[in-house]
Amino acid sequence: MARADRPALTPAATGGPLSTDSARRAVEAVWRIESARIVGALARFTGDFELAEDVAQEAVAEALVTWARDGAPANPVNWLLATARRRAIDSFRRRSALDERYAMLAGQLAEGEASSGAAAPSGRSDDLPWDPDRVDDDVLALMFVACHPVLSPEARVALTLRAVGGLSSEEIARASLVPVPTLQARITRAKKTIVAAGVPFELPPSEERRERLGGVLTVLYVIFTEGSTATTGDRLLRPDLAYEALRLARMLAALLPDEPEAYGLLALFELTAARFPARTGPDGEAVLLEDQDRRLWDRSAIRRGLAAIGRASAVGRGLGPYGLQAAIAACHASASSVPTTDWERVVLLYEALGRVAPSPVVELNRAVAIAMANGPQQALAIVDELAVSGHLSGSYLLPSVRGELLVRLGRTAEARVELELAARLCRNVRERSVLLRKAAALA
């Protein structure tokens, strides 16, 4: 997010104590918006990712007490940075006497001390304790470190949500469907792995950046996908998770304006999230695409998504997997109903997607599009081939699609068996209810 687009967090010192709740809300607001910049700047200064994250958390804990007692500072981000850097210096002092890193940090602290928020800075009106020209690089480097290939996919997701998204361990544990201690251990191991592997806190060289960008995009895609359709539980959507991935995708696209897939991913998120208001009913029940009230779709999000696709195309290297998925989402977003959707274009886009990123799920979705464009018989042949291959065994997606195709072909008894199988395999309560309702209607 560009500095001009950031909301004002605290326009001026409050001039007096805050209630505990008010202090907590103020700290949470600053941390949620600025945590990536804070941890990124600290990691660059200390050269130690784990230490940076730890001292940032210590500064947050100190702010909860100090701001309640003294009021919020005029520059809350600077206050947190200065406090965290003092904690970092203390850590280095404990590790060894005045070594070169301590001397460097101490000098930087003295230079930026006036910006702690306790007193108005003298000399400069915006005396940030970092180089403003490197802020964006810090955030981008933080994303690449959190998504480093030495970490497992689960660890990358957890560390990204913690270090870049600013989520708490409790929030990430709920998102990952694991106990808090398990999640905390996962994050701790991830940080230790980064240290042990000697991963530097810096942007990868330009020749490696595009290669490693795929890992960053994949992590954001996984987070958003879980938010847009929860794997398990009694909620169809987990919007807090999806919108966090969307926020990070906006940041990534802004920091990498020449990478078409960053804009392709952003477009996919915007266009998918645009349909959220219509995807569930008053009681949280799932609403199928053909039954959705399209007047509820977020037209601003659709415009942003279409603009992002245009930006991805304008770069000139063609649409990649995320851009092609976004183009498919744009076909739905631009149509007034399911029948008026340009299904022939959707089929072509899935064929292109199958060439650049082949997968059984892409092939299954292509079959759905073919059924809408040309009828169910040809689509059923594709689905049957997938069933024989066994690539989607254990997934509810294949029997649910096969059941729908059989319904359209009038083979209701077979369709009911498939839909009941899909319901047994589905772990999301809301989706399971839809499948069982369809199967019951065929009895």
Side-chain angles (χ1 to χ4, degrees):
M1 187 185 297
R3 204 183 285 176
D5 295 331
R6 288 194 179 93
L9 297 174
T10 306
T14 61
L18 298 174
S19 69
T20 301
D21 286 344
S22 296
R24 176 181 54 78
R25 287 194 297 270
V27 172
E28 287 178 350
V30 176
W31 182 252
R32 180 56 60 90
I33 296 172
E34 300 287 4
S35 59
R37 288 209 308 162
I38 292 170
V39 175
L42 291 168
R44 172 162 56 84
F45 283 132
T46 63
D48 187 329
F49 178 81
E50 185 174 16
L51 176 62
E53 216 273 339
D54 289 344
V55 296
Q57 291 294 326
E58 291 176 11
V60 167
E62 186 171 335
L64 291 172
V65 176
T66 304
W67 295 9
R69 184 190 64 215
D70 302 334
N75 297 295
V77 175
N78 294 348
W79 190 100
L80 289 170
L81 266 172
T83 302
R85 291 175 63 191
R86 280 194 292 270
R87 295 296 184 98
I89 290 172
D90 290 342
S91 176
F92 282 125
R93 185 184 289 122
R94 287 192 298 268
R95 294 179 187 180
S96 61
L98 301 175
D99 57 14
E100 292 181 359
R101 285 196 295 182
Y102 168 59
M104 177 189 68
L105 288 170
Q108 292 169 344
L109 177 63
E111 181 183 349
E113 188 73 29
S115 295
S116 66
S122 58
R124 282 186 293 172
S125 60
D126 188 22
D127 190 15
L128 290 172
W130 61 49
D131 179 354
D133 294 331
R134 294 193 58 179
V135 168
D136 288 349
D137 285 351
D138 287 339
V139 176
L140 188 55
L142 191 60
M143 282 192 179
F144 276 93
V145 170
C147 298
H148 197 279
V150 298
L151 301 177
S152 68
E154 296 82 7
R156 293 179 203 173
V157 171
L159 198 57
T160 299
L161 288 174
R162 177 64 175 269
V164 188
L167 273 65
S168 68
S169 295
E170 291 75 14
E171 290 173 311
I172 303 171
R174 287 197 299 270
S176 305
L177 303 176
V178 298
V180 173
T182 300
L183 185 282
Q184 290 173 332
R186 184 178 293 173
I187 292 176
T188 299
R189 285 196 300 271
K191 291 190 287 187
K192 291 184 181 300
T193 299
I194 287 173
V195 173
V199 177
F201 183 85
E202 61 185 15
L203 284 173
S206 58
E207 62 272 15
E208 297 180 17
R209 198 171 302 169
R210 186 172 300 166
E211 177 183 350
R212 285 176 53 185
L213 175 63
V216 179
L217 297 175
T218 297
V219 167
L220 297 184
Y221 182 79
V222 169
I223 295 170
F224 183 87
T225 300
E226 179 62 26
S228 63
T229 304
T231 305
T232 64
D234 59 358
R235 290 186 297 165
L236 180 67
L237 303 176
R238 303 176 70 181
D240 53 341
L241 204 57
Y243 287 129
E244 182 60 29
L246 175 56
R247 185 181 73 86
L248 296 177
R250 287 172 179 162
M251 180 187 298
L252 185 65
L255 297 180
L256 294 173
D258 296 325
E259 291 293 343
E261 275 292 77
Y263 278 96
L265 188 74
L266 175 58
L268 176 61
F269 289 0
E270 293 280 14
L271 293 167
T272 304
R275 303 201 297 267
F276 283 1
R279 285 189 59 200
T280 54
D283 297 326
E285 69 274 15
V287 180
L288 299 176
L289 181 62
E290 58 265 29
D291 299 325
Q292 289 176 15
D293 182 353
R294 299 191 177 210
R295 293 172 298 179
L296 299 177
W297 288 4
D298 186 341
R299 296 297 161 184
S300 296
I302 291 173
R303 286 192 293 271
R304 290 193 299 269
L306 296 177
I309 292 178
R311 181 63 181 267
S313 300
V315 173
R317 297 204 295 269
L319 295 178
Y322 299 118
L324 289 169
Q325 291 181 69
I328 293 167
C331 290
H332 295 295
S334 303
S336 59
S337 65
V338 168
T340 61
T341 301
D342 189 349
W343 289 106
E344 292 184 357
R345 174 170 170 75
V346 174
V347 170
L348 292 175
L349 289 168
Y350 270 121
E351 289 176 352
L353 182 59
R355 287 193 293 271
V356 299
S359 78
V361 173
V362 170
E363 188 69 359
L364 185 64
N365 284 324
R366 185 175 75 90
V368 173
I370 287 173
M372 299 302 298
N374 303 320
Q377 192 64 57
Q378 180 184 353
L380 183 61
I382 297 171
V383 173
D384 286 345
E385 288 182 12
L386 285 172
V388 171
S389 72
H391 290 309
L392 290 173
S393 61
S395 170
Y396 77 97
L397 295 174
L398 192 145
S400 67
V401 170
R402 192 167 191 276
E404 294 284 354
L405 296 175
L406 291 170
V407 169
R408 293 183 58 183
L409 289 168
R411 296 159 60 177
T412 56
E414 296 172 80
R416 185 172 66 252
V417 171
E418 293 291 332
L419 292 171
E420 289 173 345
L421 172 60
R424 288 195 298 272
L425 295 173
C426 182
R427 294 188 293 161
N428 183 281
V429 172
R430 300 297 182 176
E431 287 192 297
R432 186 187 307 130
S433 297
V434 172
L435 293 167
L436 288 173
R437 189 163 59 247
K438 287 184 175 183
L442 299 175

